[in-house]
Amino acid sequence: MKPAKLPSTLLLLAFLLSNASHAQQFWLTTPEFQGGPKTAIALKGDSTIFVATASGIIRSYNQAYKFDTCFTNPNIFSLLITANQHLLAGGVGKIYRSTDNGHTWDSAVLNNNFGIMKMLQLPNGHLFATSGALDATYTGAGVYYSDDDGVSWAQRNTGLGNLLFADGLAADKNNRLYVTTADELSTGNAGLFYSDNEGQQWNHVDISFNGQNAIEDELQVTFTCGLSVAPNDSIYHSFEGVANNTGVRLNLRKHIADVSNNSKWDQYLVNNTNMFWMDRALGDIHFAQNGDWYSSHANTINLGGTYFRKNNTTTWHRHDEGLGLDVYLQRNWQRHVETSNGKIFMVQNLDERIYVTDTSRYTPTAINETNNKPVVTIYPNPQAAGASVAVAFDNEEQKQLTLLDITGKLMFSTKTRDKYYSLKTPDAEGLYILHIQQRNRQQALKLVVY
């Protein structure tokens, strides 16, 4: 049996309380962030965090309080947790795969030496990845596809032409895929593409907007800064390009139902300027569960940073409170992950730090008799494997406790009338579900074991 790590738990609690006292600062740094400049982040469950660094991948089982190294490789550009809770890491000409939280790895060798920049998974389990050159050239190998949980990959580039620096990747609720490609000559042959058949055929999307007689309406994309699909079913495309002979930096949006027609895109302004065609182009957007939006703009210390949009508002605000710089002393693109209660963890590309904010912390409506859920708390959570957690109830009526693993396998079941029950955690790390049934009331809670 592994002993409960009481001192670490108390230290973690002290750290969280310290964070609360600095609420006026938008970003706080985690207690530990070894490994050098960061390039990607992924969250498994509510506590296991993986971060790609200049020297490999570091891992934390307790919400970034303490890290250890789980993979040594200096060229990791993207991370993804699959539906099977496996970890994928996009490298140079390879996609690495671990089924045991990074303890052991295998890899799929691709037919190129390009970096794997972004990955996503559709609800049916099929995986997609985009690739691009690591130097200043706009070359790449396009899009890769896997239907075996990342064991093997094949290219799916039909319709993309010969411009295969793929710099954006997204999917909507209908499983339509979107990918963007870059073109340093701005010929109009790159930009946004969509596929309704999982990348077997890509269709080019013409981009136009209202140039207000100041510039041409028709646009040619040079490279994409951000590509995201919002909960309101709009696609957000931010890029740099040209309109005839005029350079543009734009943030555009369109409903997913209209992407395949030739209607004009709507512009949304981030920076209030008369030169509306030279806006601050945003990176990928993270849509927090409480309705807040997070993005970033890569630029100088005075212009770049976090761009944040509060729930039910349309105005973007720049935040750099607590935000450091990358190795080039600039602000850079940011990547975000979110816990179930709305805590945001972030890495800024090529910045050594790992950031956290409670700005979008999500507090569910108080649980009471009217919504048929018993009031239940688990502490500590996360907890070490083989240790004990205290399960507290709001009454002394009989309750059925059932613990399941993420696959639905029964781990434990008992009945109790106690208001406080000591539950031994499973011996294997992972995410578990504690189900409580009490007369006509029931509730399911997550238990994270590390």
Side-chain angles (χ1 to χ4, degrees), residues 197-224:
N197 54 14
E198 298 194 355
Q200 297 181 67
Q201 175 65 47
W202 294 98
N203 306 284
H204 189 260
V205 178
D206 291 329
I207 306 293
S208 64
F209 83 130
N210 182 6
Q212 302 177 35
N213 296 319
I215 65 170
E216 294 289 334
D217 293 353
E218 301 301 320
L219 305 168
Q220 292 81 45
V221 175
T222 303
F223 66 88
T224 293

Side-chain angles (χ1 to χ4, degrees), residues 101-399:
N101 275 355
H103 293 286
T104 60
W105 294 85
D106 56 29
S107 64
V109 178
L110 309 178
N111 59 347
N112 65 79
N113 288 318
F114 299 118
I116 299 301
M117 300 304 184
K118 293 182 180 177
M119 296 182 286
L120 67 72
Q121 186 173 35
L122 295 179
N124 63 6
H126 294 175
L127 293 157
F128 295 84
T130 57
S131 64
L134 304 177
D135 53 24
T137 61
Y138 288 7
T139 57
V143 180
Y144 282 87
Y145 163 82
S146 173
D147 61 2
D148 57 8
D149 200 49
V151 175
S152 62
W153 297 79
Q155 287 174 290
R156 286 200 168 178
N157 292 332
T158 302
L160 293 181
N162 61 354
L163 299 171
L164 296 179
F165 185 105
D167 51 3
L169 181 65
D172 66 23
K173 66 177 184 180
N174 300 318
N175 298 330
R176 171 183 277 182
L177 287 168
Y178 304 90
V179 69
T180 56
T181 61
D183 175 15
E184 59 185 334
L185 300 178
S186 305
T187 61
N189 295 317
L192 179 63
F193 297 80
Y194 72 89
S195 174
D196 290 319
N197 54 14
E198 298 194 355
Q200 297 181 67
Q201 175 65 47
W202 294 98
N203 306 284
H204 189 260
V205 178
D206 291 329
I207 306 293
S208 64
F209 83 130
N210 182 6
Q212 302 177 35
N213 296 319
I215 65 170
E216 294 289 334
D217 293 353
E218 301 301 320
L219 305 168
Q220 292 81 45
V221 175
T222 303
F223 66 88
T224 293
C225 301
L227 180 68
S228 309
V229 179
N232 65 357
D233 296 337
S234 288
I235 183 167
Y236 286 74
H237 184 205
S238 301
F239 59 90
E240 294 190 9
V242 298
N244 197 358
N245 293 320
T246 304
V248 299
R249 288 196 303 266
L250 294 168
N251 299 293
L252 303 181
R253 64 175 172 236
K254 202 176 201 182
H255 193 276
I256 58 175
D258 298 327
V259 170
S260 59
N261 63 41
N262 292 323
S263 60
K264 293 182 178 180
W265 290 63
D266 295 323
Q267 182 184 14
Y268 63 98
L269 283 170
V270 172
N271 184 43
N272 187 16
T273 174
N274 291 329
M275 294 180 61
F276 61 88
W277 60 91
M278 291 298 289
D279 200 5
R280 297 178 187 174
L282 296 184
D284 292 344
I285 302 171
H286 173 77
F287 305 98
Q289 60 185 333
N290 77 335
D292 295 345
W293 291 14
Y294 291 78
S295 190
S296 55
H297 175 59
N299 211 313
T300 64
I301 186 173
N302 295 320
L303 299 177
T306 298
Y307 280 75
F308 174 74
R309 199 179 108 171
K310 193 63 183 172
N311 183 25
N312 295 322
T313 68
T314 58
T315 302
W316 290 90
H317 296 279
R318 176 179 171 271
H319 289 280
D320 62 0
E321 306 93 331
L323 182 64
L325 303 175
D326 66 13
V327 294
Y328 301 106
L329 303 181
Q330 301 278 311
R331 309 289 191 197
N332 213 322
W333 306 116
Q334 300 169 9
R335 300 191 184 188
H336 310 81
V337 294
E338 181 178 359
T339 66
S340 62
N341 65 355
K343 177 177 285 188
I344 306 292
F345 290 90
M346 180 272 286
V347 294
Q348 179 175 227
N349 192 40
L350 300 182
D351 179 355
E352 294 188 2
R353 290 154 284 259
I354 301 171
Y355 298 92
V356 60
T357 184
D358 281 340
T359 300
S360 300
R361 199 166 184 89
Y362 175 68
T363 304
T365 304
I367 303 170
N368 52 47
E369 289 283 347
T370 61
N371 61 16
N372 291 323
K373 290 183 180 180
V375 176
V376 185
T377 58
I378 303 176
Y379 183 82
N381 188 12
Q383 176 61 296
S388 295
V389 295
V391 186
F393 304 95
D394 62 342
N395 60 63
E396 294 183 349
E397 297 179 5
Q398 181 164 285
K399 299 159 285 279

